[in-house]
Amino acid sequence: DGGITQSPKYLFRKEGQNVTLSCEQNLNHDAMYWYRQDPGQGLRLIYYSQIVNDFQKGDIAEGYSVSREKKESFPLTVTSAQKNPTAFYLCASSIGDSWYQETQYFGPGTRLLVL
Amino acid sequence: ELKVEQNPLFLSMQEGKNYTIYCNYSTTSDRLYWYRQDPGKSLESLFVLLSNGAVKQEGRLMASLDTKARLSTLHITAAVHDLSATYFCAVDIRAGGTSYGKLTFGQGTILTVHP
């Protein structure tokens, strides 16, 4: 089955610690995205990548970093500079062709909590 | 800066009733998406609206887009309990046909359908 997987489902971070959230897709999509969702709010874009080895900052990139070394993978690192990391993190992917409908397909999410 | 506003933010409906959720956005766009999110879960794509006047229907849900008014509606017909969820609209910023793949989400409408 094609889809997007995220791991872990729950992640606990200690003060000053960097943590990495995994996102893998087997949909052969070019574009991948990371969103943050806070309770009772919509999604905010952290980073996105249209092709391998290239990525752009979204609206709330401070305190986060990403890499895109493989088409299938787009890991997100929450650094110690992110002072309020507690949130639900969603990874998404899309075909990436600007002339097609750009429906984004979402993974199951990772819930990050601070100890 | 693109702003996307949904109303109402909370909607409590009786089964069998009809209602409409509104999504207003602040800048030109001809691509709008509706998603559903169940509590603690990821987002599921409902509709993709690609042009002015677009109307799509699936079951008891119908979505429409008026790009001149910068307004999309999600109409619920004869609501049933299974429709209880949070509904998000999202707008794709486009320039000259090129998608940057950046979706801006509304705050979400929490729909509760009760007997």
Side-chain angles (χ1 to χ4, degrees):
Chain A
D1 284 335
I4 303 173
T5 57
Q6 290 185 242
S7 62
K9 187 173 180 179
Y10 295 95
L11 185 57
F12 298 92
R13 193 191 91 163
K14 296 179 182 177
E15 290 285 341
Q17 188 181 37
N18 292 353
V19 293
T20 297
L21 285 61
S22 169
C23 178
E24 304 275 334
Q25 54 96 2
N26 61 4
L27 299 168
N28 200 32
H29 285 171
D30 284 314
M32 296 186 75
Y33 313 84
W34 274 106
Y35 292 91
R36 169 181 171 139
Q37 185 178 30
D38 292 284
Q41 297 189 30
L43 279 67
R44 292 182 291 169
L45 182 64
I46 305 172
Y47 269 99
Y48 64 108
S49 168
Q50 301 282 19
I51 56 171
V52 175
N53 292 323
D54 188 44
F55 49 82
Q56 285 78 40
K57 292 182 179 180
D59 299 319
I60 55 164
E62 186 174 347
Y64 300 98
S65 66
V66 293
S67 62
R68 186 85 187 278
E69 296 175 2
K70 297 187 299 181
K71 187 175 182 177
E72 309 81 48
S73 177
F74 191 40
L76 173 74
T77 296
V78 183
T79 74
S80 57
Q82 173 49 245
K83 298 306 179 189
N84 184 23
T86 297
F88 189 42
Y89 290 86
L90 287 159
C91 177
S93 71
S94 68
I95 292 172
D97 186 323
S98 65
W99 299 106
Y100 280 86
Q101 58 189 45
E102 290 279 356
T103 301
Q104 293 185 15
Y105 298 90
F106 285 81
T110 292
R111 201 165 296 277
L112 176 59
L113 300 167
V114 177
L115 293 177
Chain B
E1 181 191 343
L2 172 61
K3 292 189 188 301
V4 181
E5 294 185 345
Q6 291 181 231
N7 74 83
L9 299 182
F10 299 93
L11 180 53
S12 180
M13 295 178 65
Q14 268 192 310
E15 280 189 331
K17 297 292 187 182
N18 304 334
Y19 210 85
T20 300
I21 299 171
Y22 297 89
C23 174
N24 292 273
Y25 54 97
S26 62
T27 194
T28 302
S29 174
D30 59 2
R31 292 185 178 230
L32 190 136
Y33 306 81
W34 283 97
Y35 289 89
R36 169 183 171 141
Q37 185 179 37
D38 292 304
K41 303 292 186 182
S42 187
L43 272 70
E44 173 192 352
S45 178
L46 292 175
F47 300 109
V48 181
L49 302 169
L50 299 178
S51 61
N52 186 40
V55 177
K56 294 218 175 152
Q57 183 163 6
E58 180 74 33
R60 300 174 188 274
L61 301 177
M62 183 173 70
S64 66
L65 178 63
D66 181 344
T67 58
K68 294 179 181 177
R70 299 179 185 171
L71 171 68
S72 179
T73 61
L74 181 66
H75 187 72
I76 303 153
T77 301
V80 293
H81 180 71
D82 286 351
L83 290 178
S84 297
T86 299
Y87 293 86
F88 292 97
C89 63
V91 176
D92 184 349
I93 297 174
R94 293 189 165 257
T98 300
S99 170
Y100 299 107
K102 290 181 65 174
L103 292 187
T104 300
F105 283 78
Q107 316 96 305
T109 296
I110 300 175
L111 172 64
T112 304
V113 182
H114 53 87

